[in-house]
């Protein structure tokens, strides 16, 4: 795949992302990625796959690779030292809410008989950081574009509800400014919605500074992308190994049985044409017979002959490296604002990728199959909010 092949599709995704970017700036509670995925799905209603021609390669590249580049650039917005200093207090709540979302998500996946990829994406998106977590997780679990679109849509719905409801709920509960910042940072999914909710609180309480607290707590949650994607990568490797094992066993059994058919060659001359046909196919049989010998090499990336290098999503490693670079640079006296353009580029790349995913999504099918994902998203959202408030009350952080 060369640049000339993918450039047209990338250009189309960028063209869709630009107006969505400005709409997201005007309505941060919704956010540019949601506008992009919705616009992409609307365009896909009349611009079907066969009519796209060569641009489809670029659209697919944007949905996969540019999404990974966006996650890498996201790391330049994380100062690990600041997170360690301010986010430590929130760590018990963060760990509890993440565990709650993952456990509830797994239970609902079993009870509702949901698709595993959609259930995983919704649980991870609810527990960590919405669209960014989904963007990081989707390539690891080999999620389809429609599964990503459905998960993003569910997360978006409850992001909007949280941004609208939580400031009033916090006031009714008598929360302090610091307490609400902690609540917003742990119970709202996406960064843009965390910002919207905390900004609304600050507007309702002049002099409050919940926005800074909520943002730092949210960035602390974002770091959970690293261990969770690693665990998911290992689980996917285990599943793929288990799926490949029967095929390898069948190939080995076929090879063992091959000599048994040799006596048939001694049949009557009338079968000569058939013998010639069998002889013509002999190279294929020889290749199949050698397959079991090569299977251990192909399986080195799986558990059993586990390779961390193959299982670990490398773009997550680069995400961590970007965070370390930012942290070291700031410690040496650099202004964090230096990395702002890279962080902005990350957001725009996510917007482009969401446009590409929208173009590859059947919105009619999405709506018809949306009941269970929405129910799962709602239950995860309610449980996360309840756990965040409950632990704050237990720890007297209000």
């Amino acid at each position: 795949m060369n640049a000339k092949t993918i450039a047209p599709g990338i250009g189309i995704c960028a063209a869709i992302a630009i107006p969505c970017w400005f709409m997201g700036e005007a309505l941060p509670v919704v956010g540019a990625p949601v506008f992009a995925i919705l616009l992409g799905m609307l365009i896909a209603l009349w611009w079907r796959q066969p009519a796209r021609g060569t641009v489809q390669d670029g659209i697919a590249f944007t949905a996969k690779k540019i999404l990974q580049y966006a996650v890498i650039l996201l790391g330049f917005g994380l100062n690990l030292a600041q997170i360690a200093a301010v986010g430590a207090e929130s760590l018990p709540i963060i760990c509890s809410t993440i565990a709650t979302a993952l456990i509830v998500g797994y239970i609902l996946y079993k009870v509702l008989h949901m698709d595993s990829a959609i259930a995983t994406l919704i649980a991870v998106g609810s527990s960590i950081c919405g669209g960014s977590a989904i963007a990081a997780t989707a390539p690891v679990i080999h999620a389809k574009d429609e599964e990503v679109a459905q998960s993003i849509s569910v997360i978006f719905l409850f992001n909007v509800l949280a941004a609208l409801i939580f400031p009033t709920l916090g006031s009714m509960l008598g929360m302090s400014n610091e307490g609400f910042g902690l609540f917003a940072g742990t119970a709202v999914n996406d960064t843009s919605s965390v910002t919207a909710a905390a900004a609304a609180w600050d507007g309702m309480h002049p002099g409050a500074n919940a926005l800074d607290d909520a943002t730092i707590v949210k960035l602390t949650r974002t770091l959970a992308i690293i261990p969770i994607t690693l665990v998911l990568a290992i689980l996917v490797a285990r599943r793929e190994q288990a799926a490949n094992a029967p095929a390898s066993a069948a190939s080995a059994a076929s090879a063992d049985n091959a000599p048994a058919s040799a006596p048939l060659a001694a049949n009557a001359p009338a079968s000569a044409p058939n013998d010639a046909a069998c002889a013509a196919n002999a190279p294929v049989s020889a290749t199949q017979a050698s397959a079991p010998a090569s299977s251990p090499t192909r399986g080195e990336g799986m558990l059993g002959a586990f390779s961390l290098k193959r299982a670990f999503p490398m773009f997550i490693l680069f995400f961590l490296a970007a965070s370390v670079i930012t942290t070291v640079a700031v410690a040496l006296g650099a202004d964090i604002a230096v990395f702002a353009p890279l962080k902005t580029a990350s957001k725009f790349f996510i917007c482009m990728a969401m446009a590409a995913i929208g173009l590859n999504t059947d919105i009619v099918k999405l709506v018809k199959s949306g009941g269970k994902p929405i129910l799962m998203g709602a239950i995860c959202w309610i449980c996360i909010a309840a756990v965040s408030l409950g632990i704050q009350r237990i720890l007297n952080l209000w």
Side-chain angles (χ1 to χ4, degrees):
M1 188 179 295
N2 55 48
K4 290 183 179 180
T5 304
I6 63 176
I10 295 175
I12 288 172
C13 295
I16 296 173
I18 290 172
C20 294
W21 177 267
F22 290 106
M23 287 190 287
E25 292 289 307
L27 289 172
V29 69
V30 178
V34 173
F35 281 121
I37 203 168
L38 292 176
L39 182 55
M41 287 190 290
L42 290 175
I43 293 173
L45 283 174
W46 60 268
W47 192 31
R48 297 295 181 179
Q49 290 274 1
R52 298 182 193 178
T54 57
V55 302
Q56 185 56 39
D57 287 342
I59 293 173
F61 180 87
T62 304
K64 302 299 181 184
K65 290 297 182 182
I66 288 185
L67 187 59
Q68 294 181 17
Y69 301 153
V71 174
I72 294 170
L73 293 177
L74 187 68
F76 288 104
L78 297 176
N79 182 349
L80 301 179
Q82 184 184 29
I83 290 173
V86 182
E89 183 184 46
S90 64
L91 203 56
I93 300 178
I94 290 174
C95 292
S96 299
T97 53
I98 289 175
T100 296
L102 296 178
I103 292 170
V104 169
Y106 181 76
I107 293 172
L108 292 175
Y109 156 68
K110 291 291 189 180
V111 172
L112 299 177
H113 305 289
M114 292 182 60
D115 177 85
S116 61
I118 292 177
T120 300
L121 293 176
I122 292 175
V124 171
S126 299
S127 63
I128 304 177
C129 54
S132 298
I134 291 174
T137 305
V140 176
I141 64 172
H142 313 308
K144 299 176 183 177
D145 287 344
E146 288 186 352
E147 294 166 341
V148 175
Q150 193 157 48
S151 305
I152 290 282
S153 301
V154 170
I155 295 298
F156 154 70
L157 172 62
F158 296 103
N159 280 342
V160 173
L161 290 177
L164 295 176
I165 295 172
F166 282 5
T168 302
L169 176 63
S171 294
M172 292 173 59
L173 295 174
M175 300 185 75
S176 65
N177 295 327
E178 294 78 10
F180 184 80
L182 185 55
F183 176 52
T186 53
V188 183
N189 299 332
D190 199 74
T191 304
S192 59
S193 297
V194 170
T195 302
W201 173 272
D202 287 348
M204 294 167 59
H205 302 82
N209 195 27
L211 180 57
D212 287 350
D213 293 335
T215 302
I216 292 173
V217 171
K218 185 66 179 62
L219 293 177
T220 307
R221 274 174 74 191
T222 302
L223 290 177
I225 288 176
I226 298 169
I228 286 180
T229 49
L230 176 57
V231 170
L232 287 173
I234 294 172
L235 292 176
V236 169
R238 186 188 296 274
R239 183 179 64 191
E240 290 179 351
Q241 183 197 28
N244 289 337
S248 298
S251 297
S254 298
D256 290 339
N257 292 331
S261 63
L264 296 177
N267 285 339
S271 65
N274 292 333
D275 293 339
C278 293
N281 292 329
V284 177
S285 300
T287 303
Q288 290 172 342
S290 65
S294 62
S295 59
T297 302
R298 294 182 64 226
E300 284 177 359
M302 305 302 176
L303 289 182
F306 179 67
S307 168
L308 181 62
K309 180 179 179 181
R310 293 189 182 187
F312 191 83
M314 294 306 293
F315 69 95
I316 295 296
L317 182 62
F318 295 138
F319 162 81
L320 179 59
S323 304
V324 172
I325 290 171
T326 302
T327 303
V328 172
V330 171
L332 294 175
D335 189 345
I336 189 69
V338 172
F339 298 100
L342 295 175
K343 189 176 179 181
T344 300
S346 169
K347 294 178 179 179
F348 186 74
F349 280 1
I350 288 178
C351 191
M352 285 179 60
M354 292 304 109
I357 288 170
L359 289 172
N360 287 334
T361 300
D362 185 341
I363 190 172
V364 176
K365 181 180 178 182
L366 189 68
V367 171
K368 288 181 178 179
S369 61
K372 290 181 180 179
I374 291 174
L375 177 60
M376 179 180 181
I379 294 175
C380 286
W381 178 61
I382 292 170
C383 290
I384 290 171
V387 168
S388 177
L389 290 172
I391 294 181
Q392 276 202 67
R393 173 59 70 185
I394 292 171
L395 299 178
N396 294 318
L397 297 177
W398 281 9

